[in-house]
Amino acid sequence: MELHDVWFVLIAVLWTGYFFLEGFDFGVGILTRLLARDRAEKRVLINTIGPVWDGNEVWLLTAGGATFAAFPEWYATLFSGFYLPLLVILICLIIRGVAFEYRAKRPEENWQRNWETAIFWTSLIPAFLWGVAFGNIVRGVKIDAEFEYVGNVWDLLNPYALLGGLVTLTLFTFHGTVFTALKTVGEIRERARTLALRVGLVTAVLALAFLLWTQADNGDGTSLVALAVAVVALVAALLANQAGREGWSFALSGVTIVAAVAMLFLTLFPNVMPSTLDADWSLTVTNASSSPYTLKIMTWLAVIATPVVLLYQGWTYWVFRKRIGTQHIADPVH
């Protein structure tokens, strides 16, 4: 296997890790409007992800940086062609981070409600737009002979990509719901399990349609296996949720995300961005990659840094592993 193939796999792993972790993160943000009934319950939801949300975004930064260094042509075409949706995602992530930090800085109800509203929308919008973006990456976009995107933003809003956006939105919400059931106690835990069943059923229908469409267009035997794993894991997650096995349900919803993202990258390879104008103009792991020397240096850096990041993040989740409820929410002091 060539180094550019290795880095395609590594970038796929980074995006998978990001969607697994930030997926439940976005889901909990959406639940602040769908599940929480009062201010205390919103604080419970926010506190479940409070210690980890910023660490989850490290995966996005690493995935973007790795793409820039390993596949500069891919990075340039992607960020120029998808400029507007990626800019919206970036603005949402900035506002979302500020909302987490500023929400409790003042006691006024309007102040806190406005930041809670910001958390909801800046969780929902990226959850949808990431699916739209990856739907277009897999489907292909208008790339010319100079590997430049020549379409417009309306070309990105095609039925396949919009369905992909609905899938990531519902799947992340389901992932966040089972995470909430895993991390909370009392009534909010029971309501999270009930909501997880409803959201999960909608997710199953949308995800099956999207993955079958993907398989029909670009799939092979390997991607079919990934599709089967994703579907079985999602059904098993729903059954585990109904049985009150929140840990298994969360793990299986994570497997669903991993298998679904793996399927997308399997159908994409060896392309990194197909051209809908001419297959010969598609960006591939070969014509979009950096020099072998650059990839070699990056590989050594990844070997050294990756275990440190994984150990630190694993330690963070271990320290903040206990369940919380409204009884653990102290009165704010200003």
Side-chain angles (χ1 to χ4, degrees):
M1 181 181 287
E2 299 289 338
L3 275 180
H4 50 65
D5 297 330
V6 171
W7 273 97
F8 179 86
V9 174
L10 291 176
I11 289 172
V13 170
L14 289 170
W15 280 110
T16 303
Y18 174 67
F19 288 144
F20 180 98
L21 296 172
E22 191 85 309
F24 74 76
D25 195 325
F26 286 143
V28 172
I30 294 169
L31 292 180
T32 57
R33 180 69 64 89
L34 301 183
L35 183 66
R37 290 180 175 175
D38 54 32
R39 182 59 42 74
E41 290 189 353
K42 288 182 179 181
R43 291 180 62 190
V44 169
L45 291 175
I46 293 172
N47 285 359
T48 62
I49 58 174
V52 298
W53 68 267
D54 47 355
N56 294 343
E57 293 185 356
V58 170
W59 289 78
L60 172 62
L61 299 175
T62 308
T67 304
F68 171 77
F71 299 100
E73 287 282 359
W74 183 13
Y75 182 92
T77 304
L78 176 65
F79 278 79
S80 60
F82 293 22
Y83 180 82
L84 183 58
L86 292 178
L87 177 63
V88 172
I89 290 174
L90 177 61
I91 292 173
C92 284
L93 294 180
I94 292 172
I95 295 175
R96 190 169 183 265
V98 173
F100 280 128
E101 298 297 333
Y102 276 32
R103 176 192 165 277
K105 296 300 183 183
R106 291 174 58 178
E108 291 89 344
E109 184 174 344
N110 285 341
W111 171 273
Q112 297 188 5
R113 185 188 300 113
N114 289 338
W115 286 120
E116 289 162 0
T117 301
I119 290 173
F120 170 77
W121 286 110
T122 56
S123 298
L124 185 147
I125 294 172
F128 175 74
L129 288 181
W130 279 127
V132 174
F134 270 82
N136 280 291
I137 291 173
V138 173
R139 171 182 173 270
V141 291
K142 294 179 179 179
I143 299 175
D144 65 12
E146 280 71 44
F147 303 133
E148 294 182 0
Y149 178 73
V150 293
N152 56 56
V153 68
W154 302 112
D155 293 326
L156 303 179
L157 303 179
N158 54 81
Y160 177 78
L162 292 175
L163 178 59
L166 292 176
V167 170
T168 52
L169 175 59
T170 54
L171 182 55
F172 291 171
T173 304
F174 173 70
H175 197 40
T177 308
V178 294
F179 177 78
T180 300
L182 175 65
K183 286 288 294 179
T184 57
V185 295
E187 184 182 351
I188 192 171
R189 174 189 177 189
E190 298 302 320
R191 281 190 278 113
R193 287 174 52 194
T194 301
L195 182 60
L197 175 62
R198 299 172 184 172
V199 176
L201 291 174
V202 175
T203 302
V205 173
L206 294 174
L208 183 60
F210 179 73
L211 295 179
L212 287 175
W213 191 345
T214 305
Q215 179 67 23
D217 282 350
N218 305 300
D220 56 16
T222 307
S223 62
L224 183 60
V225 172
L227 186 157
V229 171
V231 172
V232 171
L234 182 55
V235 173
L238 287 168
L239 294 175
N241 174 72
Q242 287 303 102
R245 303 296 297 271
E246 291 99 344
W248 279 105
S249 182
F250 176 71
L252 288 165
S253 70
V255 171
T256 303
I257 293 175
V258 171
V261 177
M263 181 188 176
L264 295 182
F265 277 95
L266 286 169
T267 58
L268 185 61
F269 186 82
N271 294 321
V272 294
M273 244 181 135
S275 172
T276 57
L277 300 179
D278 190 323
D280 292 335
W281 298 344
S282 297
L283 288 168
T284 68
V285 293
T286 304
N287 63 26
S289 69
S290 296
S291 68
Y293 182 70
T294 300
L295 296 178
K296 185 176 180 179
I297 294 175
M298 289 176 59
T299 303
W300 281 110
L301 290 174
V303 168
I304 296 170
T306 301
V308 177
V309 174
L310 292 176
L311 285 172
Y312 167 75
Q313 196 155 29
W315 175 81
T316 303
Y317 278 93
W318 175 255
V319 169
F320 296 101
R321 67 188 182 278
K322 292 185 178 179
R323 296 176 182 266
I324 62 173
T326 53
Q327 65 271 28
H328 301 116
I329 301 299
D331 293 332
V333 177
H334 297 278

